[in-house]
Amino acid sequence: MTAQIIDGKIMAQNLRDELAQKVAHLPTSPYLAVVLVGNDEASIIYDRNKQKAAEAIGMKCKIHHLPEETTQNDLLQLIDNLNHDVLVNGIIVQMPLPKHLNSNEIVESIDHAKDVDGFGIYNLGLLHANDSSAMVAATPQGVLYMLQHTLGNLTGKHAVIIGRSNIVGRPLASLLLNNHCTVTIAHSKTVDLPSIVSKADIVVAACGVAKMVKKEWIKEGATVIDVGINRVDGKICGDVDFDNVKEVASYITPVPGGVGPMTVTMLLNNTLRAYLNQNSSLKK
Ligand code: NAD
């Protein structure tokens, strides 16, 4: 068997076309504010990509680029201003922040109606409680979309998620549970990971260890979603040993070109949702 590739680029482009059509019919542009502190190269590239993607579908996106030495109070003040700016619909703070800043306090200072990253405790709590008004983090939402559009109904499927971070593994576990999967979360202290993965109908790798998930671990016909982004010898690769795992899986995402493009798309989708929530008379 050779797995079918789940093409995140095409899926994301189709979704962005749909979003662009919706935005074109609004009286004003949804507005995403991005806060970037310091000069981390990858963060600068990520944020420019978000800005380009937002502008391409007719949204406004401003990057507030602050110097590395920005204080906690200055950053809290900027977020407070953005919280109170009625033109701003979504706020994200690029992580990681410089070490002298308290990330948790910063994330919790964002108005939960504008928390389009869904990283705040309020939105995480709603998701955990299976409340559909939750603003859900973009990457897990992208993974769920890919699974639903590939497999259809997920009820009863056994999903093994490798990774328990607050931005990928945990929210994804809630999303899949809310969609009636049986969910196992594995992590760095899990004993005998291969045997756990071998029982999965769906494997999501989000551990940040290059090509860790091996062909021998995968049940024949399983669906494999690779969230990982690793750089090995200057080349980007995922957490899955793609060339070999594709021999046994039925569907698999590539890296790059899989989950990555879906993440930015879902952030834009959240920004549109936030806009509509804040302009409830426009909701259909
Ligand atoms: P993280 O470092 O916060 O968490 C990694 C998780 O993997 C931890 O829970 C840890 O317990 C687990 N883990 C680490 N080593 C392991 C091992 N050997 N066996 C089993 N579990 C192990 O990372 P994160 O922020 O959740 O990101 C995970 C990966 O996904 C990274 O490669 C990151 O770059 C990537 N990522 C991609 C996107 C995207 O849009 N494609 C978005 C977010 C993160």
Side-chain angles (χ1 to χ4, degrees):
M1 170 186 280
T2 299
Q4 285 188 47
I5 307 295
I6 306 175
D7 190 328
K9 271 196 203 159
I10 292 181
M11 224 178 240
Q13 191 53 54
N14 290 340
L15 260 173
R16 287 183 202 189
D17 292 345
E18 282 173 29
L19 287 174
Q21 285 197 8
K22 289 181 187 162
V23 170
H25 287 95
L26 298 172
T28 55
S29 298
Y31 185 168
L32 173 65
V34 177
V35 180
L36 169 64
V37 185
N39 291 309
D40 178 67
E41 250 177 68
S43 295
I44 291 171
I45 293 171
Y46 287 148
D47 287 345
R48 285 214 187 112
N49 285 342
K50 288 170 195 164
Q51 188 177 38
K52 266 197 236 159
E55 290 174 352
I57 64 158
M59 288 186 178
K60 268 196 251 172
C61 178
K62 179 168 176 182
I63 301 176
H64 297 261
H65 194 169
L66 307 180
E68 179 85 21
E69 58 276 12
T70 299
T71 64
Q72 185 79 3
N73 279 343
D74 286 345
L75 190 49
L76 288 171
Q77 186 58 58
L78 170 63
I79 291 172
D80 191 50
N81 294 344
L82 295 171
N83 283 340
H84 287 96
D85 185 339
V86 289
L87 295 177
V88 171
N89 306 112
I91 304 168
I92 60 173
V93 177
Q94 181 64 46
M95 297 291 162
L97 285 169
K99 288 202 166 54
H100 67 278
L101 296 171
N102 177 341
S103 307
N104 285 345
E105 188 187 20
I106 298 299
V107 168
E108 291 312 318
S109 73
I110 298 172
D111 179 344
H112 54 71
K114 298 189 179 185
D115 174 23
V116 287
D117 258 340
F119 292 167
I121 296 292
Y122 180 86
N123 279 303
L124 285 172
L126 289 179
L127 171 64
H128 194 62
N130 196 9
D131 183 319
S132 61
S133 70
M135 198 60 82
V136 179
T139 301
Q141 212 185 133
V143 171
L144 177 69
Y145 185 93
M146 292 178 120
L147 286 170
Q148 287 177 324
H149 283 257
T150 304
L151 301 176
N153 193 344
L154 303 180
T155 300
K157 302 223 180 284
H158 183 190
V160 172
I161 301 167
I162 310 171
R164 58 176 164 182
S165 73
N166 284 342
I167 64 168
V168 186
R170 284 171 202 257
L172 180 61
S174 291
L175 271 184
L176 292 176
L177 200 55
N178 296 345
N179 281 276
H180 314 299
C181 287
T182 302
V183 180
T184 303
I185 310 179
H187 47 79
S188 55
K189 306 283 187 255
T190 294
V191 175
D192 198 3
L193 184 60
S195 91
I196 290 171
V197 172
S198 72
K199 299 190 176 64
D201 305 308
I202 295 167
V203 180
V204 182
C207 52
V209 182
K211 300 186 186 179
M212 186 185 83
V213 177
K214 304 293 181 221
K215 173 184 173 183
E216 295 71 30
W217 303 9
I218 303 294
K219 181 165 83 176
E220 176 117 18
T223 296
V224 179
I225 307 286
D226 192 350
V227 179
I229 303 176
N230 309 288
R231 198 174 282 274
V232 176
D233 300 331
K235 279 179 89 179
I236 301 281
C237 70
D239 292 344
V240 173
D241 182 10
F242 179 88
D243 288 337
N244 294 309
V245 170
K246 74 172 168 28
E247 302 299 322
V248 288
S250 57
Y251 298 97
I252 190 167
T253 59
V255 177
V259 175
M262 292 299 292
T263 294
V264 177
T265 308
M266 290 305 175
L267 173 67
L268 302 179
N269 188 47
N270 280 352
T271 305
L272 175 60
R273 265 189 73 200
Y275 173 98
L276 292 172
N277 289 341
Q278 291 155 35
N279 297 273
S280 49
S281 61
L282 299 171
K283 264 192 179 177
K284 289 208 182 111

